[in-house]
């Protein structure tokens, strides 16, 4: 008998309301991940409220160098970056999360007109926006809960239009995209930020042992973050994953210059989504994330291909991490 389900997320028609769209996106992505081989799902689905909180903990781990290295670069060079951004700018942050790093820039900027943080995790985003607004009462903070990898519309500014628009994309999140996806995102950003620019954090190629430690921390927080995807699916989609039956597995693939993160099935098992069974063999994996690493010159070539004009680059002494200024076309 053919499988039949009345779940509206399986329909080819759009969701009934905008609020239904994120849940249906997750449903469709998880079904595709379970149905196709190799099994893989986009890392954006890590970020429910619990996943966002776990990622904040990862950023504080001793093994996880990207956050503290990027914060140090922003703190040391905020004045130079602010001079490139210019006065009275509209600042748009892609994947804002807790909006921690933007604080260093806001302190250095000359009368920024407004800040638009964009994030897929609405609850986490609005909490961060409220905290930022309390600390910067004169700044217009307009959070936008959206998937910035898809078309979106910025909220209308409270004042007159025409401010210089600048993007902020920290954390080396650009590395989560495949090459073609990164190029598409950068091209879209170049159009959105036309006449302004983009400040972007980029993780660099380095000793694999440093990378291995960063994604396999001793406290197991990254493992909990990885498995939380399954917890979220059980809660939101009604799946019956047993997270304990999946092992966290992260490794560096030098030929592709990327960290791969997987969940490995510890035994043969059947998982159900909306009543439909999916069989996972022992040792089979669900590929949950890639984190590509770049050379400085390699990233500048990619940015130029997308239409940006690469500008200054700031790196730490160990050459672990970089922050790039990219001038958008006019």
């Amino acid at each position: 008998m053919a499988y039949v389900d009345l779940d509206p997320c399986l329909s080819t028609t759009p969701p009934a309301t905008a609020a239904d769209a994120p849940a249906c996106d997750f449903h469709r992505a998880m079904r595709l991940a379970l149905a196709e081989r190799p099994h893989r799902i986009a890392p954006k689905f890590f970020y429910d409220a619990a996943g966002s909180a776990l990622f904040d903990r990862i950023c504080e781990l001793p093994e996880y160098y990207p956050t503290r290295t990027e914060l140090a670069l922003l703190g040391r060079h905020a004045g130079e970056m602010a001079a490139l951004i210019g006065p009275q700018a509209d600042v748009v942050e892609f994947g804002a999360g807790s909006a921690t790093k933007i604080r260093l820039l806001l302190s250095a900027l000359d009368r920024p007109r407004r800040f638009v943080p964009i994030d897929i995790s609405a609850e986490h985003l609005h909490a961060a926006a409220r905290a930022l607004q309390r600390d910067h009462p004169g700044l217009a903070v307009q959070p936008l809960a959206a998937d910035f990898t898809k078309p979106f519309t910025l909220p209308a500014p409270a004042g007159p239009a025409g401010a210089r628009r600048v993007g902020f994309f920290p954390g080396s999140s650009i590395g989560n995209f495949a090459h073609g996806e990164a190029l598409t995102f950068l091209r879209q950003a170049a159009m959105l930020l036309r006449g302004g620019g983009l400040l972007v954090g980029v993780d660099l190629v380095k000793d694999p042992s440093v990378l291995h430690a960063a994604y396999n921390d001793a406290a197991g927080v990254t493992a909990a973050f990885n498995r939380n995807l399954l917890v979220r699916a059980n809660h939101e989609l009604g799946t019956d994953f047993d997270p304990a039956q999946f092992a966290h597995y992260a490794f560096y693939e030098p030929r592709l210059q990327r960290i791969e993160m997987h969940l490995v099935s510890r035994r043969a098992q059947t998982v159900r989504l909306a009543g439909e069974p999916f069989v996972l063999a022992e040792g089979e994996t669900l590929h949950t994330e890639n984190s590509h690493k770049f050379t400085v010159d390699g990233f500048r070539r990619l940015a130029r291909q997308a239409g940006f004009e690469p500008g200054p680059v700031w790196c730490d002494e160990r050459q672990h991490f970089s922050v790039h200024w990219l001038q958008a076309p006019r």
Side-chain angles (χ1 to χ4, degrees):
M1 180 181 294
Y3 173 73
V4 178
D5 192 276
L6 299 179
D7 193 314
C9 290
L10 297 181
S11 170
T12 57
T13 60
T17 68
D20 294 333
C24 286
D25 285 348
F26 187 25
H27 187 289
R28 292 185 181 117
M30 182 57 75
R31 187 183 184 281
L32 190 63
L34 291 171
E36 293 193 342
R37 284 179 170 80
H39 307 293
R40 55 181 171 233
I41 192 167
K44 66 183 180 182
F45 296 110
F46 281 136
Y47 296 99
D48 63 346
S52 296
L54 283 165
F55 185 72
D56 286 347
R57 288 178 58 195
I58 289 171
C59 293
E60 298 171 355
L61 294 168
E63 300 97 330
Y64 195 74
Y65 65 87
T67 302
R68 64 176 176 272
T69 307
E70 187 175 33
L71 283 169
L73 288 170
L74 291 169
R76 190 176 306 130
H77 301 287
E80 301 163 53
M81 297 170 184
L84 289 164
I85 291 170
Q88 297 183 300
D90 271 3
V91 181
V92 178
E93 182 173 358
F94 304 99
S98 297
T100 301
K101 295 169 186 172
I102 193 62
R103 290 172 178 271
L104 294 170
L105 271 182
L106 289 176
S107 298
L109 287 174
D110 181 6
R111 296 164 293 139
R113 188 177 75 157
R114 68 167 176 166
F115 173 55
V116 182
I118 305 173
D119 202 90
I120 199 169
S121 178
E123 181 180 347
H124 201 63
L125 171 70
H126 287 287
R130 287 192 296 271
L132 193 67
Q133 186 71 82
R134 284 195 300 269
D135 295 340
H136 296 268
L139 176 68
V141 179
Q142 297 180 288
L144 175 62
D147 179 355
F148 63 82
T149 66
K150 296 182 177 182
F152 63 88
T153 302
L154 289 175
R164 176 175 164 87
R165 186 179 294 163
V166 172
F168 184 47
F169 194 29
S172 199
S173 297
I174 190 73
N176 293 145
F177 297 131
H179 177 86
E181 294 168 337
L183 185 59
T184 296
F185 166 77
L186 288 171
R187 282 175 173 160
Q188 291 171 346
M191 295 300 295
L192 178 72
L193 306 171
R194 182 171 289 276
L198 176 66
L199 195 65
V200 54
V202 178
D203 202 6
L204 299 176
V205 173
K206 60 184 65 64
D207 187 328
S209 66
V210 177
L211 293 167
H212 180 83
Y215 290 84
N216 293 279
D217 62 277
V221 181
T222 309
F225 172 72
N226 200 8
R227 279 193 286 263
N228 183 68
L229 174 73
L230 308 182
V231 177
R232 181 189 178 191
N234 286 349
H235 176 69
E236 295 184 17
L237 307 180
T239 52
D240 58 355
F241 286 107
D242 180 354
Q245 292 303 319
F246 290 84
H248 167 71
Y249 181 47
F251 62 92
Y252 182 62
E253 170 48 78
R255 294 167 299 179
L256 300 175
Q257 295 184 333
R258 74 186 188 192
I259 284 283
E260 290 189 15
M261 202 151 75
H262 296 251
L263 289 165
V264 184
S265 180
R266 297 181 185 273
R267 57 174 174 82
Q269 53 187 307
T270 299
V271 176
R272 289 174 174 79
L273 170 61
E276 185 176 7
F278 299 91
V279 176
L280 297 172
E282 181 179 357
E284 202 166 9
T285 79
L286 174 60
H287 188 167
T288 54
E289 183 180 52
N290 290 322
S291 183
H292 292 85
K293 312 305 171 185
F294 297 86
T295 64
V296 168
D297 288 343
F299 184 75
R300 286 168 67 87
R301 284 194 299 271
L302 179 67
R304 194 172 283 113
Q305 189 179 357
F308 284 103
E309 180 56 39
V313 183
W314 300 270
C315 297
D316 63 292
E317 292 178 356
R318 296 177 299 175
Q319 300 290 299
H320 279 185
F321 200 90
S322 59
V323 178
H324 297 243
W325 171 255
L326 307 177
Q327 184 69 41
R330 295 191 178 277

